[in-house]
Amino acid sequence: MKMKTAIIEMVSGAAVEVDVTSFQNDMVGFANKDDVITYLLHLGYLGYNQNARKAFIPNEEIRQELTHAVKRKNGIRMPRQRYSR
């Protein structure tokens, strides 16, 4: 399953299977969709069901943002994280 397909399925309310063990904890070397989804899990944009090993969209605000991202011609651009100093 491709990344866009996984996002569309999650926007539709489904949870998608993800292998969280392949992620190397860097923002440069995404090898596959599982790495990207795991990164989104780390950022808190997605939820994870550990028993089913599936990722899902945890709330409506994120669902709407991902819906707009899929519709954009340039693909998915998540909002930047804001850090307080």
Side-chain angles (χ1 to χ4, degrees):
M1 170 184 313
K2 292 184 178 184
M3 182 67 199
K4 187 172 182 177
T5 304
I7 295 294
I8 290 170
E9 285 194 23
M10 287 188 285
V11 165
S12 299
V16 296
E17 200 168 310
V18 60
D19 176 12
V20 296
T21 62
S22 67
F23 184 59
Q24 296 298 311
N25 204 25
D26 67 35
M27 295 174 34
V28 181
F30 296 112
N32 54 46
K33 77 159 180 66
D34 289 333
D35 287 355
V36 176
I37 291 174
T38 303
Y39 182 62
L40 293 173
L41 287 165
H42 284 247
L43 292 175
Y45 290 114
L46 299 177
Y48 183 67
N49 180 324
Q50 195 170 15
N51 294 328
R53 297 182 182 173
K54 292 187 176 190
F56 59 91
I57 297 174
N59 62 53
E60 188 58 30
E61 180 183 3
I62 295 172
R63 182 179 317 281
Q64 289 174 6
E65 188 61 36
L66 289 173
T67 298
H68 294 303
V70 169
K71 289 179 182 178
R72 280 196 291 266
K73 202 173 193 178
N74 294 333
I76 297 171
R77 290 187 306 256
M78 296 303 294
R80 291 186 179 156
Q81 289 282 331
R82 293 186 182 168
Y83 298 99
S84 58
R85 293 182 186 212

